[in-house]
Amino acid sequence: MSDTLQGLNEEQVKAVTNTEGYVRVVAGAGSGKTKALTHRYVYLVNDVGIATENILCVTFTNKAANEMRKRIRTMIGDQDTGMVCTFHGFCVQLLREDIHTMNYPDNFLVMDEEDMKAVLHNVYEQGHIDSREITYSMAEELISIRKNRMEHIEYILRLNTQELKEKFLTAVNKEDILFYGYLYEQKKAYALDYDDLITFSFYILDSFKDKREKWQNRLQYVMVDEFQDVSATQYEMAELLSAYHGNLFIVGDPDQTIYTWRGANIEYILNFKATHPDCTDIIMDQNYRSSENILNVSNSLIANNKKRVDKKLKPTKGSTVPVIYNHAKTTEQEAKWILGQINKLIEAGHKYNDCTILYRAHHVSRSIEEVLLNAQIPYVIYSGVSFYNRREIKDCICYLRMLIFEDDMSFKRIINVPRRNFGKKRMEFLEKYAEAHGMKLYEALVDNLDNPLIASSKAGEFVELIDGYKRSFKMFKLTDLLQGILNDSGYETMLRTSGDDSRLENLAELKQAVFDYEKSAGEETSLADYLQRISLLTNLDKEEKKDAVKMMTIHTAKGLEFPYVFVCGMNEGIFPSKHVDSEDALEEERRLAYVAYTRAENALFLSDAEGVNLDGSYRYPSRFIFNIDKTYLEYTVELEQKFVESAKSFIQKNEEKISGVLPERFEAGTKVMHKLFGEGMIMEVNENGGYYVIQFEGMKTARNISFKIELERA
């Protein structure tokens, strides 16, 4: 046996040694996918004799590509690993050689997220687009969809900068204004975004025979990692690049397709065998990561999906540690339970670094952070800023602080947020005045409202806002006070205008935090107490510690593994997201839960909490708890039967709505129950109008109720 094949299992050996033709490897979580890929690359070089320059191996993250290159260098003893890179990395190499075919210089600019937002800012201003109507994220998605349909290519090629500007300024449809304005701003700077790297490269390969043949001849073997995440253009590019030699090796897991919002299409990996009849099919299902109990839970969950390759992960290590599910009455209790489990692990000799907390969205981290901070447990948030350090949260807290403390730090932070024409010159004047008179900046501002320098700004509106609330804030509930300030200061309007959806979500979570605090504190609630509590949470030592609990979204955790994993916020409306509107989207949410569960090596903890959301809806446990065979979970508390029935009824109605199943239809004379109006009698069924005429008890007149509204038999 070749040295390259040492240490590989039977399926991995098949993946490595099947070098010719089309090969699909369905590699389950923790099945040694990276090991198989790197050994296959080394096998092609060391055993078959292929030059590294003739192999393309693409994956989806720079981290994965770097890890692969490192392993390959160690095994082949050569620094030259050819083209082991991301799809976008390969496209940059191709464009450096051939972008001149599109009349672009080879030193083109590759845009990042901040560049894209800066470009959109200009387009919104010049095109008079209201970002409350079309947010930045919506605009990015609209532009991306049109680019992936290759709509932009003809304008890039056919029109010069001035002509593109004219097309932008004369566009009527708002989508067109955004699209042409974005292209104009890009072409001015010869700038390419991530979509362009793929689409420009594909256009060159598809349109220029000499360039296509050059790359096809050069790339004798094409390997694509994470094939479940490829977009339409990436799929076509892989097919095109491998068409001459006919050697395309794909590896991925349909059960881990979680990026359809980026253009990934699960059908490509599912249908690969059908579209390539001579394809060699290999399933790698031996799991080397997780305990048997964790795999039982994961297999049980994902079996509920329809769009998948049927497989079950097989354990290579056993464990007596059960997967634990905890249902709490409040998010605070949920967080304290997680803290308790972490403390037990630490007492058993483990490190904070062994513990990872995963969640569906960043705003879910708030209650966990508070508990960890109070307990002085070190933690690190990956791919996100800790909740109370997020800009919009600090701004809101400073507005509240001004009502009691009038402190200079809060004043300087918010005097010009939203903009009040209060810049550096006016601030310097106030600082000198305050220092000379031994007073706070806010007092100095009040003293100088009639000064021509200050009067020409909107500082008077700020003073009116603060003084007004200083006189009346004790009369308000905290939730009403916060909402009032957000409205009257223009802060929430500013966020909506900015188009930054994530900041609005964080603002909603702050409102939820204040609401939760009010409920827990009862009549003892006061603004001063709340601000003191917040100051304790925000002023603790924030130095990053090596031994710290990790916190991140599940999307961030993709491809990683951790000894002890806590998946929190397992609630309907959070996970699965309340934005799920189709069966395909629901299956993707379930795949995301599967990804979360399979990150765990030794132990997995699942948790949710009851409560009421701001919109008045009740928090039920996630269907991704009920989807699991109960024999595989250890419940810390037994759920009440009535509560379970209510939760499952809610879930069933939601799934009927998603699948397009209409509520039950009733005949005239049927007594029904309406969720708001109570009991009533159907007097008439209006088929043409699509509604019932219902006489409700206690109402003088009947009401027309749409067929779409859910009614129950009384």
Side-chain angles (χ1 to χ4, degrees):
M1 180 183 281
S2 162
D3 290 344
T4 310
L5 305 180
Q6 294 294 326
L8 302 180
N9 65 31
E10 186 179 342
E11 289 78 18
Q12 289 171 333
V13 169
K14 286 180 185 175
V16 169
T17 56
N18 275 276
T19 61
E20 306 308 301
Y22 294 95
V23 182
R24 179 182 75 166
V25 177
V26 176
S31 63
K33 171 176 66 73
T34 303
K35 186 174 185 178
L37 267 169
T38 52
H39 279 251
R40 188 176 197 270
Y41 189 102
V42 172
Y43 186 81
L44 285 169
V45 175
N46 285 356
D47 294 70
V48 181
I50 306 299
T52 56
E53 67 183 27
N54 299 130
I55 306 170
L56 172 64
C57 179
V58 291
T59 187
F60 272 77
T61 66
N62 287 311
K63 182 177 180 181
N66 290 336
E67 176 63 25
M68 228 176 282
R69 280 196 295 269
K70 184 179 174 182
R71 292 194 196 185
I72 289 168
R73 284 175 186 146
T74 302
M75 294 177 73
I76 65 175
D78 191 338
Q79 289 300 305
D80 181 16
T81 54
M83 284 173 282
V84 178
C85 51
T86 63
F87 253 115
H88 295 96
F90 166 70
C91 289
V92 168
Q93 292 184 56
L94 184 151
L95 293 172
R96 294 290 182 215
E97 290 188 30
D98 296 323
I99 199 170
H100 61 86
T101 56
M102 301 183 71
N103 298 316
Y104 265 62
D106 60 10
N107 62 339
F108 56 87
L109 172 71
V110 179
M111 301 164 64
D112 61 19
E113 283 290 327
E114 289 305 312
D115 295 326
M116 290 171 68
K117 285 184 178 178
V119 165
L120 283 173
H121 178 75
N122 292 341
V123 174
Y124 274 60
E125 279 196 341
Q126 295 177 58
H128 307 292
I129 301 289
D130 185 350
S131 60
R132 285 173 292 187
E133 185 179 352
I134 303 177
T135 65
Y136 279 15
S137 58
M138 288 165 64
E140 287 175 11
E141 186 177 351
L142 290 169
I143 293 166
S144 181
I145 288 170
R146 292 179 73 161
K147 283 190 172 185
N148 281 299
R149 292 200 298 248
M150 307 293 283
E151 285 185 34
H152 60 312
I153 297 294
E154 66 162 309
Y155 301 113
I156 292 293
L157 292 174
R158 185 166 54 84
L159 305 180
N160 61 33
T161 307
Q162 194 55 43
E163 290 168 329
L164 257 180
K165 183 178 182 181
E166 189 65 25
K167 195 159 185 66
F168 160 45
L169 295 176
T170 57
V172 177
N173 179 284
K174 287 179 181 175
E175 277 193 36
D176 286 344
I177 294 172
L178 286 168
F179 184 61
Y180 298 128
Y182 187 84
L183 295 186
Y184 160 65
E185 291 285 342
Q186 277 192 286
K187 186 154 187 181
K188 268 198 313 184
Y190 289 114
L192 275 63
D193 63 22
Y194 271 32
D195 284 326
D196 295 321
L197 295 177
I198 302 292
T199 54
F200 276 39
S201 297
F202 180 74
Y203 175 79
I204 291 169
L205 291 170
D206 194 47
S207 305
F208 298 92
K209 184 182 178 183
D210 59 329
K211 304 301 180 189
R212 177 169 66 251
E213 290 180 349
K214 175 184 78 173
W215 287 99
Q216 285 179 335
N217 279 316
R218 185 186 300 179
L219 302 177
Q220 297 174 12
Y221 294 87
V222 177
M223 300 159 62
V224 183
D225 186 19
E226 305 285 8
F227 200 76
Q228 76 276 355
D229 293 329
V230 296
S231 65
T233 311
Q234 290 166 340
Y235 174 80
E236 290 174 21
M237 188 183 298
E239 290 277 26
L240 192 151
L241 288 170
S242 60
Y244 179 68
H245 294 288
N247 294 323
L248 177 59
F249 174 91
I250 68 160
V251 57
D253 183 5
D255 289 337
Q256 296 186 72
T257 303
I258 60 172
Y259 292 113
T260 58
W261 46 278
R262 287 185 188 168
N265 188 334
I266 194 173
E267 304 293 344
Y268 293 135
I269 189 167
L270 288 178
N271 298 333
F272 193 81
K273 192 166 177 61
T275 54
H276 302 79
D278 297 331
C279 163
T280 300
D281 214 26
I282 301 165
I283 293 181
M284 287 168 42
D285 53 11
Q286 287 283 98
N287 180 281
Y288 296 94
R289 175 188 300 154
S290 306
S291 72
E292 183 177 4
N293 291 330
I294 294 168
L295 294 185
N296 285 337
V297 163
S298 305
N299 288 330
S300 181
L301 171 79
I302 202 61
N304 291 274
N305 272 12
K306 296 173 185 174
K307 288 191 173 182
R308 60 188 302 264
V309 173
D310 188 30
K311 72 177 190 310
K312 275 191 175 182
L313 294 177
K314 300 170 186 173
T316 56
K317 62 181 187 181
S319 173
T320 57
V321 179
V323 176
I324 298 176
Y325 163 58
N326 179 68
H327 174 76
K329 290 294 182 183
T330 67
T331 52
E332 184 182 8
Q333 286 181 18
E334 178 187 8
K336 286 181 175 177
W337 179 80
I338 291 172
L339 172 64
Q341 298 304 308
I342 290 173
N343 283 335
K344 286 179 183 177
L345 289 170
I346 300 305
E347 288 168 10
H350 302 289
K351 297 180 179 179
Y352 289 122
N353 204 35
D354 294 331
C355 305
T356 302
I357 302 171
L358 303 180
Y359 33 79
R360 175 65 180 83
H362 279 302
H363 66 83
V364 178
S365 71
R366 190 262 311 167
S367 57
I368 313 288
E369 284 190 69
E370 289 188 13
V371 167
L372 293 179
L373 281 165
N374 281 327
Q376 298 188 33
I377 302 295
Y379 69 90
V380 178
I381 292 205
Y382 291 82
S383 253
V385 181
S386 61
F387 185 82
Y388 286 105
N389 273 351
R390 291 167 195 167
R391 179 174 52 174
E392 56 278 10
I393 304 304
K394 292 182 85 168
D395 289 346
C396 294
I397 298 302
C398 285
Y399 266 106
L400 293 175
R401 276 178 22 176
M402 283 297 298
L403 306 186
I404 294 180
F405 305 115
E406 294 180 4
D407 60 293
D408 287 356
M409 288 181 291
S410 295
F411 177 85
K412 291 175 82 169
R413 184 177 184 91
I414 61 172
I415 178 60
N416 206 37
V417 183
R419 293 191 183 281
R420 300 186 178 93
N421 194 27
F422 206 94
K424 186 177 179 182
K425 187 176 179 182
R426 291 182 173 89
M427 184 60 75
E428 287 175 349
F429 167 81
L430 274 194
E431 286 174 336
K432 288 178 182 176
Y433 185 93
E435 185 174 354
H437 293 80
M439 58 174 58
K440 295 177 181 178
L441 290 173
Y442 182 75
E443 294 170 325
L445 177 64
V446 173
D447 276 4
N448 287 279
L449 285 177
D450 294 328
N451 183 295
L453 180 66
I454 302 298
S456 58
S457 71
K458 294 182 179 179
E461 295 178 10
F462 179 75
V463 170
E464 186 177 338
L465 172 81
I466 299 301
D467 279 0
Y469 275 102
K470 277 174 72 69
R471 290 191 296 269
S472 62
F473 76 84
K474 291 181 181 178
M475 299 160 52
F476 289 93
K477 287 169 53 179
L478 283 184
T479 44
D480 295 337
L481 175 64
L482 175 61
Q483 188 60 62
I485 287 180
L486 289 173
N487 289 340
D488 295 343
S489 66
Y491 192 88
E492 188 157 6
T493 299
M494 177 195 74
L495 281 197
R496 294 193 184 283
T497 305
S498 77
D500 196 329
D501 302 343
S502 62
R503 295 180 67 194
L504 284 169
E505 285 182 0
N506 288 333
L507 202 62
E509 182 60 16
L510 177 64
K511 294 175 189 176
Q512 182 73 50
V514 174
F515 175 73
D516 290 345
Y517 171 74
E518 272 187 330
K519 284 188 69 177
S520 63
E523 294 182 358
E524 301 301 315
T525 306
S526 77
L527 178 60
D529 289 341
Y530 179 69
L531 291 175
Q532 184 180 35
R533 179 170 173 270
I534 294 301
S535 69
L536 290 174
L537 294 174
T538 54
N539 289 338
L540 291 174
D541 178 21
K542 286 294 193 308
E543 286 182 20
E544 187 171 315
K545 300 175 178 65
K546 289 183 180 178
D547 185 24
V549 173
K550 301 183 183 77
M551 298 179 67
M552 66 189 78
T553 64
I554 300 163
H555 280 100
T556 302
K558 174 79 161 60
L560 305 176
E561 55 190 39
F562 314 100
Y564 301 95
V565 170
F566 298 81
V567 187
C568 64
M570 296 290 294
N571 289 91
E572 286 293 309
I574 297 176
F575 198 14
S577 165
K578 64 183 177 183
H579 300 300
V580 168
D581 58 2
S582 68
E583 290 181 330
D584 282 350
L586 179 58
E587 288 215 348
E588 176 149 356
E589 289 287 299
R590 190 175 285 110
R591 291 193 293 267
L592 190 59
Y594 176 78
V595 166
Y597 297 175
T598 54
R599 297 312 92 198
E601 297 173 334
N602 303 331
L604 174 64
F605 305 85
L606 310 177
S607 65
D608 76 292
E610 289 180 39
V612 179
N613 295 309
L614 277 171
D615 61 6
S617 61
Y618 196 79
R619 289 179 181 164
Y620 288 112
S622 169
R623 68 197 72 189
F624 302 149
I625 297 295
F626 296 124
N627 281 167
I628 300 165
D629 186 328
K630 198 177 174 186
T631 59
Y632 296 138
L633 284 179
E634 182 175 295
Y635 283 53
T636 58
V637 291
E638 196 60 40
L639 303 181
E640 293 179 14
Q641 188 59 33
K642 190 175 180 181
F643 177 70
V644 172
E645 289 171 2
S646 181
K648 289 186 175 179
S649 173
F650 173 86
I651 292 166
Q652 183 181 348
K653 287 176 182 176
N654 177 260
E655 294 195 347
E656 287 174 355
K657 182 181 177 183
I658 287 172
S659 63
V661 177
L662 293 174
E664 181 185 355
R665 291 286 294 276
F666 301 103
E667 298 176 350
T670 307
K671 281 190 174 183
V672 293
M673 184 67 71
H674 186 284
K675 62 182 178 181
L676 294 179
F677 293 157
E679 191 172 319
M681 174 76 76
I682 296 177
M683 311 305 293
E684 180 188 336
V685 180
N686 191 313
E687 294 290 350
N688 292 331
Y691 61 83
Y692 301 108
V693 179
I694 304 178
Q695 179 64 57
F696 291 101
E697 292 181 3
M699 289 188 178
K700 292 181 180 179
T701 57
R703 298 287 185 271
N704 297 344
I705 303 296
S706 167
F707 290 159
K708 296 178 181 178
I709 297 298
E710 292 178 8
L711 300 170
E712 295 180 1
R713 291 181 185 273

